[in-house]
Amino acid sequence: MMMKLQNQFNGVGIESLEQRRRDSMVGPRSNGTIRPRQSFSNGRRESFAASAPPSAPGSNSGSDVGALDFNKEDVEVLLNERMRTKNKFNYKERCEQMLDYIKRLRLCIRWFQEVEGGYLLEQDNLREMLQSAEIKCSEMEMLMQNKEEELNAIIMELRKNYNLLQDKCAKEESDKMALMDDLSRDKEARIAAERLQTCLSEDLEKLRQEQQTSNQKIASLNDMYKRLQDYNTSLQQYNSKLQTELSTANETLKRVESEKAAVAENLSTLRGQYSSLQEQLTSSKAYQEEAVKQKEALINEVGCLRTELQQVRDDRDRQLSQVQTLTDELSKYKDFTGRSVSELDCLTEKSNELEAKCSTQSDLVRTLQDQLAAAHKKLQMSDLSATETRKQYEEQNMIICDLRNRLEDAEVKLVEGEKLRKKLHNTILELKGNIRVFCRVRPLLPVEGSNTDTKVIGFPTATEALGRGVDLLQNGQKHSFMFDKVFVPDASQQDVFVEISQLVQSALDGYKVCIFAYGQTGSGKTFTMMGNPGNPDRKGLIPRSLEQIFETRQSLKAQGWKYDLQVSMLEIYNETIRDLLSPHKSNSFDNGTPGKQYTIKHDANGNTHVSDLTLVDVRSSKEVAYLLDKAAQSRSVGKTLMNEQSSRSHFVFTLRISGVNESTEQQVQGVLNLIDLAGSERLSKSGSTGDRLKETQAINKSLSSLSDVIFALAKREDHVPFRNSKLTYLLQPCLGGDSKTLMFVNISPENSSLGESLCSLRFAARVNACEIGIPRRQTNMRSSDNRLSYG
């Protein structure tokens, strides 16, 4: 049988293994026995590390093969070992020795097979890496060839562009010379235009002087015309005076003729007076003729004056026409000079643009020449960069190998660091106190703000009380309280969750965690626990805790952890348990008939079980969100005078966590209880009647039982009345066991709720002073039955 085993061992290629591992199998000599390793994580020995490659796979599920170490001397001693018994005929002892020897030989053979497999796997990996490196090198060469061809094409294209630009530059030079000739001609035309402008300006000055003299003549003529008009008016007045005198003379003549007739009748009697009258008549005729002559002379003088006036007017019209013609000529000269200046400016601008264009073209030619030189330099550098790239590739391969070795060491350190973090984290939470109390003050509602005159709740700013103290003012007396954390009305849901996120992490580490919200109706308990699912910024503690658990579970997969999660939800309504996730939910409670009965049981390990309660396996936060919506629709709510949607039952959300680390064979079992208690209320304020009255009585009774339990724990009494209520009996492991417990006390800042707020704060202070059992982590190792058997 010994020869058969030796031949079998030689058949697996031990000589070849010794030849391949001659330098690696170095270790202390043994006395013919197999040396077991102390620990896989922290008892790693140098011989095993030297004999096994980094990529060799470990044993299956942590079996004994992965915990043993062999070297060349051990194998030789094992093969040369002889059976030694005191009594040759003691077959039982010889069989036991033979079985032990066979077992050790199997272990050695399995170890060699695993090491051989590890080396083969490493050889395959190295071949794959070599092939990938060769492929990368070929790809790099192809890439360099392609780049060289692209650079050659770019150089050819740049040369073509350079030739085209040279042609364009020559053409631009010819255009520039033609434009320079045009510019010189334009300059000569500009000089001629300037000379013409000076001549025109001189003529214009002469015309202005003549215009001034003509204006002076016109002014003198106007003065003469005014004087003639005055003289004409005076002549007209004199003529009118003469006409009046002529009319009087005619009247006198008529009167004389009438007298003559009378005298003719009395001629005979008046002969003597005839001569005198005849003399008077002759004198009057002479006077009349003289007046007529004067009148004709005046008429002739007026005609002469009128002719002179007409001549003056004609002279004035001629002067005005001359002035108009001079003005027209002046405007024409101005227009002509303006056009000449504008044409001169246009020619100047064109010449400037052509000069700028020529300069830009010359700059472009210089830049293209620079680019061509740079392309030549890049082509020269590309050959050098190819060799440098190959060197860098080899250096990167060496660095990758080094990083892989470091990564393996870092993974080992990461596992050890995770263990240390969990231990320190839970130690910190234990030092802070088993039952921690957080206080949250909700903000005033718009309706409440108008009725509040003074603030009844304050927050001290002293260093020792900042963020932990709250003051309540009642009837002029200030009541001060200190808790682990106090959240002001402006605190967001994220600020609240940050403070409890480490406690939620403890559930993944294998602890039982309980978080419950306590307070009066309308103080914000349900908002704190559930929030507003439709608004991501207003999600409560339950959705945020589940999101953190699923994210942490995903990140711990890299360390070998695998978690299974189960969810259950129930409510305690009128001291009766209701399963909110039951697939066969009936309306028997609404009809007044009793439904399915559930009982609460506690085992020896402090775990709580509710009989026939629905447990749902969950794999994502979306599944849990759907279950929360389903439970919210089934939960009992009602309207009171204090709250439009008042929770009429105690809501209990339970998440059971079971985790296992496949590399370390460690198992953890944690429980996360998130509880939204119904609010305490007074009948005088709530106005409850009928069913609401029964609900209020049941709620106050259960909360009173919770207060009795807290008082008993604070006084360290021997008997704690957990069984007085379904709520306290369900919370017994959280209040009196080895669980990590946190209570949120929610208070309202409204004046009318001052009494209830003071009672809630006093109750929270008593809870914060309670001391319960030390939290115990539920962890163990996989049993040996699960290990690989070698019988």
Side-chain angles (χ1 to χ4, degrees):
M1 186 175 182
M2 291 291 295
M3 293 299 295
K4 184 177 180 181
L5 291 172
Q6 188 171 2
N7 292 331
Q8 183 180 0
F9 184 80
N10 293 330
V12 299
I14 186 169
E15 295 298 332
S16 60
L17 291 174
E18 290 179 359
Q19 183 66 27
R20 293 169 58 186
R21 304 177 184 85
R22 183 170 296 170
D23 297 332
S24 61
M25 301 182 70
V26 179
R29 292 182 176 271
S30 66
N31 295 325
T33 59
I34 300 172
R35 298 190 304 275
R37 292 171 56 193
Q38 297 179 359
S39 174
F40 186 76
S41 60
N42 55 8
R44 183 172 296 183
R45 304 179 67 177
E46 294 296 327
S47 61
F48 183 78
S51 61
S55 60
S59 62
N60 296 329
S61 303
S63 62
D64 294 337
V65 178
L68 297 176
D69 187 12
F70 292 91
N71 54 26
K72 183 177 179 181
E73 289 80 4
D74 294 337
V75 175
E76 290 178 355
V77 170
L78 183 63
L79 293 177
N80 296 326
E81 186 176 350
R82 296 289 183 270
M83 298 295 175
R84 295 178 182 179
T85 56
K86 295 180 180 181
N87 189 359
K88 295 183 178 179
F89 300 99
N90 191 352
Y91 294 105
K92 183 177 180 180
E93 184 179 358
R94 293 184 67 184
C95 287
E96 290 177 354
Q97 291 180 358
M98 183 65 67
L99 289 174
D100 182 57
Y101 184 68
I102 291 169
K103 184 175 180 180
R104 284 183 281 141
L105 282 174
R106 286 183 177 180
L107 293 174
C108 182
I109 291 168
R110 285 176 183 272
W111 180 78
F112 271 109
Q113 289 175 351
E114 290 181 357
V115 173
E116 180 70 20
Y119 274 103
L120 292 175
L121 181 60
E122 184 182 8
Q123 185 178 6
D124 294 336
N125 293 332
L126 291 173
R127 285 176 181 174
E128 291 177 357
M129 291 174 63
L130 180 61
Q131 291 176 358
S132 62
E134 290 176 353
I135 292 170
K136 288 182 179 179
C137 288
S138 61
E139 290 177 353
M140 186 68 70
E141 291 177 356
M142 292 295 294
L143 183 62
M144 294 302 297
Q145 291 178 0
N146 293 331
K147 285 185 177 180
E148 186 175 359
E149 292 176 357
E150 289 177 358
L151 289 172
N152 290 328
I154 290 169
I155 290 169
M156 295 298 294
E157 186 177 358
L158 288 173
R159 286 176 179 173
K160 291 179 181 179
N161 293 332
Y162 179 70
N163 295 327
L164 292 174
L165 287 172
Q166 282 183 344
D167 296 337
K168 289 182 180 180
C169 186
K171 187 177 179 181
E172 291 292 337
E173 286 290 335
S174 62
D175 294 338
K176 181 179 179 181
M177 294 300 295
L179 291 171
M180 291 296 291
D181 296 335
D182 294 337
L183 182 61
S184 62
R185 289 194 295 270
D186 291 337
K187 286 182 178 179
E188 292 176 357
R190 182 178 179 182
I191 293 168
E194 289 178 353
R195 291 176 181 174
L196 181 61
Q197 185 178 4
T198 53
C199 295
L200 290 173
S201 60
E202 291 176 356
D203 295 337
L204 183 61
E205 286 293 330
K206 292 179 181 179
L207 290 173
R208 285 178 179 174
Q209 292 177 1
E210 291 178 357
Q211 185 180 4
Q212 289 178 358
T213 56
S214 62
N215 288 329
Q216 290 176 0
K217 289 180 179 180
I218 290 169
S220 61
L221 290 173
N222 287 329
D223 295 334
M224 185 182 291
Y225 178 71
K226 289 180 180 179
R227 289 195 298 271
L228 289 173
Q229 283 183 346
D230 295 336
Y231 182 67
N232 189 15
T233 52
S234 63
L235 288 176
Q236 288 177 356
Q237 291 176 0
Y238 181 70
N239 188 15
S240 63
K241 184 178 180 181
L242 290 174
Q243 286 179 357
T244 53
E245 291 179 354
L246 182 60
S247 62
T248 54
N250 290 327
E251 290 177 356
T252 305
L253 182 59
K254 289 179 181 179
R255 191 173 56 254
V256 169
E257 287 180 353
S258 63
E259 290 177 355
K260 182 181 179 182
V263 170
E265 291 178 357
N266 296 321
L267 186 56
S268 57
T269 57
L270 297 173
R271 291 283 185 183
Q273 297 178 356
Y274 177 73
S275 59
S276 61
L277 289 171
Q278 194 172 4
E279 291 176 359
Q280 289 179 359
L281 181 61
T282 54
S283 62
S284 62
K285 285 181 179 181
Y287 181 74
Q288 185 177 1
E289 290 176 356
E290 186 178 359
V292 171
K293 290 179 180 179
Q294 289 180 359
K295 179 179 179 182
E296 291 176 356
L298 290 173
I299 290 170
N300 294 326
E301 189 176 359
V302 169
C304 294
L305 291 173
R306 285 180 178 174
T307 53
E308 290 178 0
L309 180 61
Q310 186 65 32
Q311 291 177 357
V312 170
R313 288 179 178 175
D314 294 337
D315 293 336
R316 186 192 65 179
D317 293 335
R318 283 195 302 273
Q319 293 292 331
L320 289 174
S321 62
Q322 290 178 0
V323 170
Q324 185 67 31
T325 53
L326 290 173
T327 305
D328 294 336
E329 291 178 359
L330 181 63
S331 61
K332 289 180 181 179
Y333 283 129
K334 287 182 178 179
D335 295 336
F336 180 72
T337 54
R339 285 195 299 272
S340 300
V341 171
S342 62
E343 290 176 357
L344 185 62
D345 293 336
C346 292
L347 292 173
T348 306
E349 290 178 358
K350 286 182 180 179
S351 64
N352 293 331
E353 289 177 357
L354 290 172
E355 290 177 356
K357 191 173 182 181
C358 290
S359 62
T360 54
Q361 290 292 335
S362 60
D363 293 338
L364 182 60
V365 170
R366 283 194 293 272
T367 54
L368 288 174
Q369 290 176 352
D370 295 337
Q371 288 179 0
L372 185 61
H376 284 297
K377 289 182 180 179
K378 286 182 180 178
L379 184 61
Q380 293 174 359
M381 294 297 294
S382 61
D383 297 332
L384 298 175
S385 63
T387 57
E388 291 179 357
T389 304
R390 290 176 183 175
K391 292 180 181 179
Q392 290 178 359
Y393 176 71
E394 294 175 357
E395 293 176 357
Q396 290 294 329
N397 285 333
M398 296 176 66
I399 293 171
I400 289 170
C401 294
D402 188 17
L403 290 175
R404 285 178 180 173
N405 296 329
R406 291 182 182 180
L407 181 61
E408 293 176 358
D409 297 336
E411 287 177 353
V412 176
K413 292 180 181 179
L414 182 63
V415 174
E416 296 176 354
E418 182 67 19
K419 292 180 181 179
L420 181 61
R421 184 200 65 79
K422 292 179 180 178
K423 183 178 179 181
L424 293 175
H425 165 66
N426 293 301
T427 303
I428 291 170
L429 291 182
E430 290 172 6
L431 292 174
K432 287 185 177 179
N434 290 336
I435 298 184
R436 302 170 65 193
V437 177
F438 287 175
C439 176
R440 188 178 190 185
V441 183
R442 72 163 174 82
L444 283 169
L445 301 177
V447 179
E448 298 171 348
S450 59
N451 299 328
T452 303
D453 298 331
T454 58
K455 292 184 179 180
V456 296
I457 295 178
F459 304 95
T461 57
T463 304
E464 62 275 4
L466 185 62
R468 299 180 60 243
V470 58
D471 297 335
L472 191 142
L473 187 63
Q474 184 184 32
N475 298 328
Q477 184 180 0
K478 184 171 73 172
H479 302 273
S480 299
F481 298 92
M482 291 285 290
F483 300 107
D484 295 287
K485 183 67 178 178
V486 174
F487 298 98
V488 297
D490 296 335
S492 63
Q493 296 282 68
Q494 178 64 22
D495 297 336
V496 177
F497 177 71
V498 167
E499 294 294 329
I500 68 148
S501 59
Q502 294 182 351
L503 198 61
V504 175
Q505 179 66 31
S506 297
L508 281 172
D509 296 341
Y511 288 89
K512 290 184 289 185
V513 179
C514 178
I515 302 173
F516 64 94
Y518 177 88
Q520 70 178 99
T521 299
S523 58
K525 301 181 301 300
T526 304
F527 178 77
T528 300
M529 301 303 293
M530 297 295 295
N532 187 1
N535 190 348
D537 295 334
R538 296 167 67 87
K539 290 187 293 187
L541 300 184
I542 295 178
R544 292 177 186 269
S545 300
L546 294 169
E547 289 177 359
Q548 176 182 339
I549 287 174
F550 282 107
E551 290 176 359
T552 309
R553 184 184 73 167
Q554 187 67 25
S555 63
L556 290 177
K557 282 185 178 180
Q559 302 178 16
W561 283 98
K562 182 179 179 182
Y563 289 94
D564 295 327
L565 306 177
Q566 287 184 328
V567 169
S568 66
M569 301 182 202
L570 62 88
E571 68 172 352
I572 301 175
Y573 175 76
N574 288 345
E575 287 299 311
T576 305
I577 295 176
R578 289 184 177 183
D579 186 2
L580 297 179
L581 299 181
S582 176
H584 306 292
K585 189 172 179 62
S586 62
N587 296 327
S588 58
F589 286 98
D590 298 335
N591 298 329
T593 59
K596 192 174 184 179
Q597 298 295 324
Y598 300 91
T599 57
I600 302 172
K601 296 180 181 178
H602 303 297
D603 58 13
N605 295 325
N607 298 318
T608 303
H609 302 281
V610 179
S611 62
D612 299 329
L613 189 65
T614 303
L615 294 175
V616 181
D617 294 327
V618 292
R619 296 176 181 82
S620 64
S621 58
K622 292 183 178 179
E623 295 180 6
V624 181
Y626 169 74
L627 296 176
L628 287 172
D629 293 338
K630 181 180 178 182
Q633 295 175 1
S634 303
R635 189 179 178 187
S636 301
V637 294
K639 179 180 180 182
T640 64
L641 296 179
M642 299 180 67
N643 195 353
E644 288 288 335
Q645 291 184 346
S646 177
S647 302
R648 313 309 295 169
S649 63
H650 306 298
F651 173 71
V652 180
F653 174 89
T654 303
L655 179 66
R656 303 180 185 276
I657 303 171
S658 177
V660 60
N661 193 321
E662 296 179 353
S663 60
T664 61
E665 296 298 317
Q666 187 179 10
Q667 291 181 341
V668 294
Q669 291 181 352
V671 180
L672 178 62
N673 293 309
L674 302 172
I675 303 170
D676 178 19
L677 299 178
S680 61
E681 58 187 37
R682 295 184 181 180
L683 294 176
S684 58
K685 285 188 176 182
S686 63
S688 301
T689 57
D691 293 338
R692 298 286 91 84
L693 177 61
K694 294 180 181 179
E695 294 167 356
T696 302
Q697 291 174 349
I699 291 169
N700 290 336
K701 179 182 177 183
S702 61
L703 294 177
S704 178
S705 301
L706 178 62
S707 179
D708 294 339
V709 168
I710 294 299
F711 289 159
L713 291 173
K715 295 179 181 179
R716 298 186 179 181
E717 296 180 355
D718 295 334
H719 173 69
V720 180
F722 287 110
R723 293 181 177 270
N724 288 356
S725 171
K726 291 285 183 67
L727 175 64
T728 54
Y729 192 50
L730 184 66
L731 296 179
Q732 181 177 353
C734 302
L735 298 176
D738 53 1
S739 175
K740 294 185 178 182
T741 306
L742 169 67
M743 185 184 85
F744 268 96
V745 54
N746 295 82
I747 60 176
S748 172
E750 192 181 7
N751 286 333
S752 59
S753 304
L754 192 59
E756 290 292 332
S757 298
L758 183 59
C759 293
S760 299
L761 292 174
R762 287 173 175 170
F763 176 72
R766 294 190 184 96
V767 172
N768 202 12
C770 290
E771 294 181 2
I772 60 177
I774 298 174
R776 180 172 57 87
R777 186 183 183 191
Q778 296 184 0
T779 179
N780 53 19
M781 302 297 291
R782 282 187 178 179
S783 60
S784 60
D785 297 337
N786 295 331
R787 297 178 181 272
L788 185 62
S789 175
Y790 299 101

